[in-house]
Amino acid sequence: MDEIKSGLTEVVCDVLVIGGGTAGPMAAYKAKRHSPGARVVLLEKANVKRSGAIAMGMDGLNNAVVPGYATPEQYTKEITIANDGICDQAPVYKYASRCFKIIQELDGFGIKFQKNENGDFDVKKVHHLGSYVLPMPNGDTVKKALYRQLRREKVLISNRYMATRLLTGRDGQIAGAIAVNTRNAEFLVLRAKTVILCAGAAGRLGLPQSGYLWGTYENATNSGDGYAMAYHAGAALANLECYQINPLIKDYNGPACAYVAGPFGAYTTNSEGNRFIECDYWSGQMMQEFYSELQSGKGPVFLKLNHLHSDTIGKIEAVLHQVERPSRGRFHENRGTNYRERMIEMHISEIGFCSGHSASGVYVDEFARTTVSGLYAAGDMASVPHNYMLGAFTNGAVAGEHAAEVAVNIDLADYNAADVVREQQRVLAATRREDGIPPNQLEYKTRRFVNDYLQPPKVTAKMKLGQARFAEIREDMESAMVVRDAHELMRSLEAASILDCAEMAAFASLFRTESRWGLYHHRVEYPEKNDDDWLCHSILRKRDGRMIAEKRPVAPYIVPIDESERSAYDSQRIRQHA
Amino acid sequence: MPIAHTPTAVPVIVDEAKCIADKGCTVCVDVCPLDVLRISDLTGKAYMKYDECWYCMPCETDCPTGAVTVNIPYLLR
């Protein structure tokens, strides 16, 4: 295993789904349900059984719009306000209208959601305005349940293949993708009528404070490959300067997790044991207050549970130590932290791109269509703001159905054979050198500079220095990177995606000359929000081989927001400590 | 530029007495999202070949004989 072999196989399908984490399996499932005769291929660089952000399951839904608790209008309004007004509401409204059906469908797959004594869904309030959090008592079974459905529908699963570039036809429409096997470096050309990108967040962008490359908040496999592929195919990417930054258990770098513990009575405090934020929902405005408290004399910040009854804490532990990031119990044990006795030290995560929690993603409309004909995106990498796991499922379903519908009515586009040759040369260049710089060093250096120069508070001169350093790393990557086996080859391709994302993060952040989304885009020289000039999307794309940015108006709201409601997320700080 | 190897204490430990990789089992290798485990040619047992661990635990959870333990990587312990 891992030895580099040469080989190139061509495969033809109707719908190609890239990424088998959360959105991807649902997209493939729905495409197949829509068109049972279609060839649907699900490509995954790990193994669909245990891949993506929910490899070990999830503790609950963070954004369930359940009849009786919330309406699609309320949810759309909340997300529009939480995202500082920069929100095309149509995809959010569509999500909100459809997600309850998806919950029922997941329930039918055997994934259970918490119910109260009356048999109704037991929705909790964590957001600033409405109630949307729904616990999942057997959340550890999510991937297994999905996998069963994929097998039943005869979706063609290709594990351990990493897509490296999308293929486009003469008119710029999608024609398929090129992938490389992560264990023997053999190539696969996948011709497809429609392609759905579900490759997750750019979670390996900043460097965790531990210095461990893999100790990221996101599953470390999510290296921004989808963002890079969309960019190189000419697709528009939206609001990349709206970084993802999360409050996490310091060093462990996993969620604390206020969404689970909050409804039981836990809360975030400063070192004096006092609350300082109104609401634990992860908005940029909340993160700004979190960051300010960390920097103040009242830092660090803690999650406080030690006032709760031991049995209550036992219930919280049963969730937190079982799903999503189950090794957190082991982390606390090593340090002798018992939730009953001590508050849990928290910190903020490295930066990343992720629409799952913030709003940095490949631009999509309410059908999950990108700006490239025949190319869709869903999940953490698509631009629907704050869409979390249920958004990945719901928008994956939307993408799968639409992509299948389109695929039955069109022919395969021809790709340019020279593009495949060029891509093979790019991918294999580092394998043909005898010595040089290994991918892990190039990645470490990129991510260290991301921290030094791109992390908020954002400063123009620093970001420009960052760009200069990234250009030097790119030169090294293209002229001196060395790769010795197929596993390292995968890492080298990830390092290239990470560098692409770093350059996009700097470019997008320099473009928006205002501050918005709290800490996510806090520009020191432009400290105020400027609605006159910047209540719009910033769109980044590749044109004639160069990165460009432009403004795009926010689509007219379909759910109106009152002037008096717009600032609801601006006042996160508790005015007076008790 | 010659390449040196820096030693690291790897987080995933395999109990070779319990591991049945030599009987054809590859579960832990298959389920690792980061693809960092391999079967040793020398011992026939699973081991962590690449120190690139997200300490996420599918290898430990899915191992049929309980041979795998995931520790927190030392840098963040």
Side-chain angles (χ1 to χ4, degrees), chain A residues 223-290:
Chain A
S223 45
D225 308 325
Y227 290 80
M229 281 188 279
Y231 170 74
H232 289 292
L237 296 104
N239 306 313
L240 296 180
E241 65 280 14
C242 180
Y243 296 163
Q244 165 178 254
I245 305 170
N246 295 323
L248 303 173
I249 297 170
K250 185 172 179 295
D251 297 337
Y252 179 71
N253 220 20
C257 168
Y259 291 9
V260 171
F264 287 100
Y267 54 89
T268 306
T269 80
N270 58 26
S271 65
E272 294 170 353
N274 289 321
R275 290 177 194 250
F276 63 94
I277 42 176
E278 294 274 0
C279 155
D280 276 314
Y281 180 67
W282 291 2
S283 64
Q285 298 86 335
M286 179 277 225
M287 276 307 305
Q288 180 65 56
E289 298 305 340
F290 198 106

Side-chain angles (χ1 to χ4, degrees), chain A residues 31-104:
Chain A
K32 198 71 186 165
R33 295 282 287 190
H34 180 278
S35 308
R39 277 176 66 85
V40 177
V41 172
L42 177 58
L43 199 72
E44 164 59 49
K45 82 177 164 183
N47 185 317
V48 175
K49 280 184 187 167
R50 290 287 196 188
S51 58
I54 59 165
M56 287 299 280
M58 188 52 70
D59 46 40
L61 302 173
N62 295 336
N63 52 345
V65 185
V66 175
Y69 289 97
T71 64
E73 284 76 14
Q74 282 170 331
Y75 179 79
T76 304
K77 192 182 265 193
E78 175 118 25
I79 295 306
T80 305
I81 298 168
N83 208 42
D84 256 344
I86 313 256
C87 177
D88 283 359
Q89 289 184 334
V92 176
Y93 187 82
K94 186 166 195 174
Y95 157 77
S97 312
R98 186 152 180 203
C99 70
F100 186 61
K101 276 216 170 99
I102 296 284
I103 294 174
Q104 290 171 313

Side-chain angles (χ1 to χ4, degrees), chain A residues 1-2 46-47 50 56 160 182-183 210 212 214-221 251-252 325-327 330-331 334-335 435-437 482 484-485 487 490-491, chain B residues 1-3 5 11 29-38 48-58 60-62 69-73 75-77:
Chain A
M1 199 144 56
D2 305 322
N47 185 317
R50 290 287 196 188
M56 287 299 280
R160 305 293 173 193
T182 63
R183 288 178 176 171
S210 64
Y212 191 57
W214 319 93
T216 47
Y217 166 67
E218 292 291 340
N219 185 326
T221 52
D251 297 337
Y252 179 71
R325 303 300 308 279
S327 61
R330 221 157 273 185
F331 170 80
N334 283 327
R335 291 198 174 171
D435 68 8
I437 307 165
V482 64
R484 297 162 301 175
D485 66 22
H487 179 84
M490 166 172 66
R491 296 290 176 245
Chain B
M1 254 183 293
I3 293 169
H5 291 270
V29 178
D30 293 342
V31 297
C32 173
L34 276 302
D35 203 15
V36 299
L37 304 176
R38 291 292 181 268
M48 188 174 196
K49 183 175 178 188
Y50 304 96
D51 176 23
E52 301 165 341
C53 183
W54 193 49
Y55 40 105
C56 52
M57 305 217 325
E60 179 179 320
T61 307
D62 295 350
T69 306
V70 176
N71 293 308
I72 303 295
L75 289 183
L76 38 131
R77 199 173 294 166

Side-chain angles (χ1 to χ4, degrees), chain A residues 131-388:
Chain A
S131 301
Y132 307 103
V133 172
L134 179 57
M136 291 161 62
N138 69 344
D140 57 320
T141 62
V142 176
K143 288 293 279 190
K144 275 197 181 121
L146 284 173
Y147 196 75
R148 272 200 304 273
Q149 299 302 321
L150 293 173
R151 295 301 297 261
R152 220 182 59 183
E153 294 299 328
K154 300 194 170 54
V155 168
L156 304 165
I157 297 173
S158 284
N159 289 319
R160 305 293 173 193
Y161 272 100
M162 176 183 184
T164 67
R165 284 287 183 269
L166 297 168
L167 289 165
T168 47
R170 199 171 305 128
D171 302 321
Q173 78 275 40
I174 204 73
I178 307 172
V180 67
N181 188 292
T182 63
R183 288 178 176 171
N184 62 24
E186 289 184 349
F187 284 85
L188 201 57
V189 169
L190 298 117
R191 299 185 65 193
K193 294 175 180 172
T194 51
V195 174
I196 308 172
L197 278 173
C198 305
R204 233 159 81 206
L205 186 51
L207 186 65
Q209 296 229 322
S210 64
Y212 191 57
L213 285 172
W214 319 93
T216 47
Y217 166 67
E218 292 291 340
N219 185 326
T221 52
N222 292 348
S223 45
D225 308 325
Y227 290 80
M229 281 188 279
Y231 170 74
H232 289 292
L237 296 104
N239 306 313
L240 296 180
E241 65 280 14
C242 180
Y243 296 163
Q244 165 178 254
I245 305 170
N246 295 323
L248 303 173
I249 297 170
K250 185 172 179 295
D251 297 337
Y252 179 71
N253 220 20
C257 168
Y259 291 9
V260 171
F264 287 100
Y267 54 89
T268 306
T269 80
N270 58 26
S271 65
E272 294 170 353
N274 289 321
R275 290 177 194 250
F276 63 94
I277 42 176
E278 294 274 0
C279 155
D280 276 314
Y281 180 67
W282 291 2
S283 64
Q285 298 86 335
M286 179 277 225
M287 276 307 305
Q288 180 65 56
E289 298 305 340
F290 198 106
Y291 174 82
S292 303
E293 203 75 0
L294 278 174
Q295 301 298 319
S296 79
K298 289 176 182 161
V301 170
F302 295 89
L303 182 69
K304 182 170 161 56
L305 293 92
N306 56 2
H307 57 291
L308 301 175
H309 191 276
S310 180
D311 293 350
T312 307
I313 292 176
K315 278 186 203 159
I316 295 169
E317 284 172 339
V319 178
L320 293 183
H321 300 173
Q322 193 76 84
V323 291
E324 192 182 356
R325 303 300 308 279
S327 61
R328 101 187 77 197
R330 221 157 273 185
F331 170 80
H332 290 314
E333 206 181 296
N334 283 327
R335 291 198 174 171
T337 308
N338 184 328
Y339 291 178
R340 288 162 189 79
E341 292 156 10
R342 229 185 282 178
M343 302 196 295
I344 305 150
E345 185 185 356
M346 295 179 68
H347 201 73
I348 61 175
S349 71
E350 65 283 351
I351 69 161
F353 295 152
C354 176
S355 272
H357 303 107
S358 64
S360 31
V362 174
Y363 184 83
V364 292
D365 67 8
E366 66 271 34
F367 299 104
R369 289 181 293 200
T370 71
T371 58
V372 170
S373 176
L375 180 65
Y376 298 75
D380 278 349
M381 64 164 291
S383 66
V384 186
H386 297 228
N387 79 148
Y388 290 93

